[in-house]
Amino acid sequence: MGKSFYFTPGNAGYPVFQTRYARVGVYICYDRHFPEGARILGLNGAEIVYNPSATVAGLSEYLWELEQPAHAVANAYFVLPSTASARKLRGKIGEFYGRATSAIRAGKLSLRPAATRTKLLVAELNLDEIQKVRDTWQFYRDRRPESYGEITRTQAANTAAAG
């Protein structure tokens, strides 16, 4: 049996929910490291993607700060990430650093609290901007779905070679 990790991929797919305010997707913790699910949420119509996670200071904090705006840019939606704060992770790995940001589709962090232990962060989002950005950048129009088959073929070949 392979090595067990504290963080594992989700198993609920990539559903998007119509709420009274927007079409919302949730991308849980570890999954944020992978662009495929973020893309699926966008293709499923997400306007806002919440990404709650437990990120440890020093371990993957820099990735957390890069991945959120990258998903927002590549998919032209708002990403609202938040992290757990100030609890030791099984007493071994480190302390959660706790932060929330609002990443806008243009890749700019539209809201970033100065304190790392913010209790509540409020942001006003203009959902009309999503279509404007999609019309300008055309990342969905110009995406390369023919490459998806190559991704799965390469993954299968690498898995077979390793096994």
Side-chain angles (χ1 to χ4, degrees), residues 8-70:
T8 59
N11 60 1
Y14 309 101
V16 173
F17 305 93
Q18 180 65 56
T19 71
R20 166 177 163 180
Y21 301 103
R23 291 187 49 81
V24 173
V26 180
Y27 209 32
I28 303 292
C29 199
Y30 184 73
D31 285 339
R32 77 174 194 280
H33 297 300
F34 308 99
E36 297 86 1
R39 174 56 50 98
I40 293 168
L41 286 167
L43 290 172
N44 283 339
E47 297 168 303
I48 299 171
V49 173
Y50 292 100
N51 182 218
S53 62
T55 300
V56 178
L59 180 62
S60 64
E61 184 174 357
Y62 74 99
L63 290 176
W64 188 82
E65 291 178 355
L66 291 171
E67 291 164 341
Q68 309 304 328

Side-chain angles (χ1 to χ4, degrees), residues 72-96:
V73 168
N75 298 291
Y77 53 50
F78 288 96
V79 176
L80 299 174
S82 62
T83 64
S85 64
R87 261 191 3 224
K88 293 263 185 208
L89 180 59
R90 287 193 182 176
K92 299 176 186 176
I93 297 175
E95 190 171 300
F96 299 132

